[in-house]
Amino acid sequence: MQTGVPTKNSRGPRPRANSVLRARNDYRRVVPLERITKTNHQGLPIGRAKGRTSAYVRLPSITPEMSASLEQRTPMASPTDVHVGSSAVPSPKPQALWPFIIITITYLLFTVTDGAVRMLVLLHAYTKGFTAMEVAIMFALYELCGAGTNLAAGLMGAKWGIRVTLLSGLVMQVVGLSALYAWDDAWSKSTAIVYVTTAQALCGVAKDLVKLGGKTVTKLVTPEEKQESLFRLVSGLTGYKNSFKGVGYFLGAALLEVSYELAIHVNVALIAIALPFAFFGLTSKLGKVASKNVSLKSVFKQKPNINWLSLARFFLFGSRDLWFEVPLPFYLRASDGLNWPRPAVGAALAGYIILYGQAQSFSPKLILTPLKQSPPNKYVCVLWNVLLSVVPLFLGVGLYVMSSYTNPSTLTPHRNKVILLSFGVLLFAFIFAINSAVHSYLVVKYADGDKIAMNVGFYYMANAFGRLVGTVVSGALYSYVSNDVDVSLSVCFFVSVLFVFLSALAARYIEDDNCGLRWGSNLSCFGAEPWQELKRKQTTDAATEEQEEG
């Protein structure tokens, strides 16, 4: 042991942050991490992975004459930058978590109403004799306005802050819900379509204004080096959001069975509860960027990774809405389909959304971490897209074969369809949730810290356009391909397979080859290091870091 260097077991005075310690020809000094050139296997300076802004470094063979020059050239760390003998990650400050808590509460309450109003409009329209294509048109403007809103919301959030976009979305949702009070059964179909489509457009604008806050706040409260924590936080919030949306699906269908007006009353009340949280709990500075960075041109000028991921998101969500939003509820309600009552349809769709949300929340811990795929990269994204494509193919082939099944057996064709759809739809929800969790993490990872509102807004604009295309195409396919609802739904599933493959193809062009692809500890490809070798490097890095810290 070198004399003069305080150690863990020595009784000498502890080093001060602003001192240079002489120990023969060695000097130990606290300097900012950006001055450190020694890195671990991930390319991060030793010590950064544990949240430090400074660390001890050893400067060999520095003469006393060089010390004064060193003092002038290297800025000294403040006491708050020094972490002596501690490896604990600093706890987030309460004021940093407060915006996350407020936005989460508001976002989840809003999401219940978003799911409820969708079921409210869809099932009420079905009862009034509207076709699948007519209902798809009602939702078309909802998705189209959502796409435009994501673009505008990115600019609004960057220029005026997330608080403004959140409050604007909540107020807009109240206006859209209140407009549905005036839906009169005496109106003609064309009048009802125009009016309800306009009301839904307001709800579409509201949804994406509120969503912007929910998606960006995770990046704002998570340190840049904590990618694993960011992945879990994004997946958790998005997963619970979707679970609450599933609750809204069931709530809307159940309340509609009692009263159309009561369903609207309850949804307006939920928004009224959320408004005070956003108004009093957030500051106007949250999410703002420098005004010189805010322009319409800057929104469309995205990094290549954001562009490719947005295109992959377009096809991913289009693949789901090609059969889920309109064809599946109509098939479940149709007399020549499964002929289920409205509460049963609402419960089935709610079960899908809730499972999807919970799978999304726990996929990092229960699926991707055991498979050594966390935090994910583009290869993980492509892999789960390919796995997802198998499910709609299975559903399409199975339902098409059953459409001509007439021979009696122990299980009737009707029950066979219920079993097929139940298994296939739940499996799709599970795998789709993993895909969605990976996408939601990657967009936050690739986003620029000072332009995250615009990056995320552009990304969810692509998401909304994908849902728009999927909804409109699904209405046309289900209504006009065949008079047999089994065949029509099967075709929707087949087109969904095409969209999933296009999503995987787009993700393939993302520039994110770090760590390759693994499937557990033994299987790896695309340049992934063997797991045991990676663990050895991580252990070496940890030991080196402890040695540097003394």
Coordinates of all heavy atoms in Angstrom, one line a residue, residues 112 115-116 119 123 243-257 342-351 353-354:
V112 N -59.2 6.2 -19.1 CA -60.4 5.5 -18.9 C -61.5 6.0 -19.8 O -62.3 5.3 -20.4 CB -60.8 5.6 -17.4 CG1 -62.2 5.0 -17.2 CG2 -59.8 4.9 -16.5
G115 N -61.1 5.0 -23.6 CA -61.6 3.7 -23.9 C -63.2 3.7 -23.9 O -63.8 3.0 -24.7
A116 N -63.7 4.3 -22.9 CA -65.2 4.3 -22.7 C -65.9 4.9 -23.9 O -66.9 4.4 -24.3 CB -65.6 5.0 -21.4
M119 N -66.1 2.7 -27.0 CA -67.2 1.6 -27.0 C -68.5 2.2 -27.0 O -69.5 1.7 -27.6 CB -67.0 0.8 -25.7 CG -65.8 -0.1 -25.7 SD -65.7 -1.2 -27.1 CE -67.2 -2.2 -26.8
L123 N -70.8 0.8 -30.0 CA -72.0 -0.1 -29.7 C -73.3 0.7 -29.9 O -74.3 0.1 -30.3 CB -71.9 -0.6 -28.3 CG -70.7 -1.6 -28.1 CD1 -70.6 -2.0 -26.6 CD2 -70.8 -2.8 -29.0
S243 N -54.1 -0.8 -19.6 CA -55.0 -1.5 -18.7 C -56.2 -0.7 -18.2 O -57.3 -1.1 -18.2 CB -54.2 -2.0 -17.4 OG -53.2 -2.9 -17.8
F244 N -55.9 0.6 -18.0 CA -57.0 1.5 -17.6 C -57.9 1.8 -18.8 O -59.1 2.0 -18.7 CB -56.4 2.9 -17.1 CG -56.1 2.8 -15.6 CD1 -55.0 2.2 -15.1 CD2 -57.0 3.4 -14.7 CE1 -54.8 2.2 -13.7 CE2 -56.8 3.4 -13.4 CZ -55.7 2.8 -12.9
K245 N -57.3 1.8 -20.0 CA -58.1 1.9 -21.2 C -59.1 0.7 -21.3 O -60.2 0.8 -21.7 CB -57.3 2.0 -22.4 CG -58.0 2.3 -23.7 CD -57.1 2.6 -24.9 CE -57.9 3.0 -26.1 NZ -57.0 3.4 -27.2
G246 N -58.6 -0.5 -21.0 CA -59.4 -1.7 -21.0 C -60.6 -1.5 -20.0 O -61.7 -1.9 -20.3
V247 N -60.3 -1.0 -18.8 CA -61.4 -0.7 -17.9 C -62.4 0.2 -18.5 O -63.6 0.1 -18.3 CB -60.8 -0.1 -16.6 CG1 -61.9 0.4 -15.6 CG2 -59.9 -1.1 -15.9
G248 N -61.9 1.2 -19.2 CA -62.8 2.1 -19.9 C -63.7 1.4 -20.9 O -64.9 1.8 -21.1
Y249 N -63.1 0.5 -21.7 CA -63.9 -0.3 -22.6 C -65.1 -1.0 -22.0 O -66.2 -0.9 -22.4 CB -63.0 -1.3 -23.3 CG -62.4 -0.9 -24.6 CD1 -61.4 0.1 -24.6 CD2 -62.7 -1.5 -25.8 CE1 -60.8 0.5 -25.8 CE2 -62.1 -1.1 -27.0 CZ -61.2 -0.1 -27.0 OH -60.6 0.3 -28.1
F250 N -64.8 -1.7 -20.9 CA -65.9 -2.3 -20.2 C -66.9 -1.4 -19.5 O -68.1 -1.6 -19.6 CB -65.3 -3.2 -19.1 CG -66.4 -4.0 -18.3 CD1 -67.1 -5.0 -18.8 CD2 -66.7 -3.5 -17.0 CE1 -68.0 -5.7 -18.1 CE2 -67.6 -4.2 -16.2 CZ -68.3 -5.3 -16.8
L251 N -66.3 -0.3 -19.0 CA -67.2 0.7 -18.3 C -68.2 1.3 -19.3 O -69.3 1.5 -19.0 CB -66.3 1.8 -17.7 CG -67.0 2.9 -16.9 CD1 -67.7 2.3 -15.7 CD2 -66.1 4.0 -16.5
G252 N -67.6 1.7 -20.5 CA -68.5 2.3 -21.5 C -69.6 1.3 -22.0 O -70.8 1.7 -22.1
A253 N -69.3 0.0 -22.2 CA -70.3 -0.9 -22.6 C -71.3 -1.2 -21.5 O -72.5 -1.3 -21.8 CB -69.6 -2.2 -23.0
A254 N -70.8 -1.3 -20.3 CA -71.7 -1.6 -19.1 C -72.7 -0.4 -18.9 O -73.9 -0.6 -18.6 CB -70.9 -1.9 -17.9
L255 N -72.1 0.8 -18.9 CA -73.0 2.0 -18.6 C -74.0 2.2 -19.7 O -75.1 2.7 -19.5 CB -72.1 3.2 -18.4 CG -71.2 3.3 -17.2 CD1 -70.3 4.5 -17.2 CD2 -72.1 3.4 -15.9
L256 N -73.6 1.9 -21.0 CA -74.5 2.0 -22.1 C -75.7 1.1 -22.0 O -76.8 1.5 -22.4 CB -73.7 1.8 -23.4 CG -74.5 2.0 -24.7 CD1 -75.0 3.4 -24.8 CD2 -73.7 1.6 -25.9
E257 N -75.5 0.0 -21.3 CA -76.6 -1.0 -21.1 C -77.6 -0.3 -20.2 O -78.8 -0.6 -20.2 CB -76.0 -2.3 -20.5 CG -77.0 -3.4 -20.6 CD -77.3 -3.9 -22.0 OE1 -76.5 -3.6 -22.9 OE2 -78.2 -4.7 -22.1
R342 N -74.1 -6.7 -25.7 CA -73.1 -5.6 -25.6 C -72.2 -5.7 -24.4 O -71.0 -5.5 -24.6 CB -73.9 -4.3 -25.6 CG -74.4 -3.8 -26.9 CD -75.0 -2.4 -26.9 NE -76.2 -2.4 -26.0 CZ -77.1 -1.4 -26.0 NH1 -76.9 -0.4 -26.7 NH2 -78.1 -1.5 -25.2
P343 N -72.7 -6.1 -23.2 CA -71.7 -6.2 -22.1 C -70.6 -7.3 -22.4 O -69.5 -7.1 -21.9 CB -72.6 -6.6 -20.9 CG -73.9 -6.0 -21.3 CD -74.1 -6.2 -22.7
A344 N -71.0 -8.3 -23.0 CA -70.0 -9.4 -23.3 C -69.0 -8.9 -24.3 O -67.8 -9.2 -24.2 CB -70.7 -10.6 -23.9
V345 N -69.4 -8.1 -25.3 CA -68.5 -7.6 -26.3 C -67.5 -6.6 -25.6 O -66.3 -6.6 -25.8 CB -69.2 -6.8 -27.4 CG1 -68.2 -6.1 -28.3 CG2 -70.1 -7.8 -28.2
G346 N -68.1 -5.7 -24.7 CA -67.2 -4.8 -24.0 C -66.3 -5.5 -23.1 O -65.1 -5.1 -23.0
A347 N -66.7 -6.6 -22.4 CA -65.8 -7.4 -21.5 C -64.7 -8.0 -22.3 O -63.6 -8.1 -21.8 CB -66.7 -8.4 -20.7
A348 N -65.0 -8.6 -23.5 CA -64.0 -9.2 -24.3 C -62.9 -8.3 -24.7 O -61.7 -8.5 -24.6 CB -64.7 -9.9 -25.5
L349 N -63.4 -7.1 -25.2 CA -62.4 -6.1 -25.7 C -61.6 -5.5 -24.5 O -60.4 -5.3 -24.6 CB -63.1 -5.0 -26.4 CG -63.8 -5.4 -27.7 CD1 -64.4 -4.2 -28.4 CD2 -62.9 -6.2 -28.7
A350 N -62.3 -5.4 -23.4 CA -61.6 -4.9 -22.2 C -60.6 -5.9 -21.7 O -59.4 -5.5 -21.3 CB -62.6 -4.6 -21.1
G351 N -60.9 -7.2 -21.8 CA -60.0 -8.2 -21.4 C -58.7 -8.2 -22.2 O -57.6 -8.4 -21.8
I353 N -57.5 -5.5 -23.8 CA -56.7 -4.3 -23.5 C -56.0 -4.4 -22.2 O -54.8 -4.0 -22.1 CB -57.6 -3.1 -23.6 CG1 -58.2 -2.8 -25.0 CG2 -56.9 -1.8 -23.1 CD1 -57.2 -2.4 -26.0
I354 N -56.7 -5.0 -21.2 CA -56.1 -5.2 -19.9 C -54.9 -6.1 -19.9 O -53.8 -5.9 -19.4 CB -57.1 -5.6 -18.9 CG1 -58.1 -4.5 -18.6 CG2 -56.4 -6.0 -17.5 CD1 -59.3 -4.9 -17.7

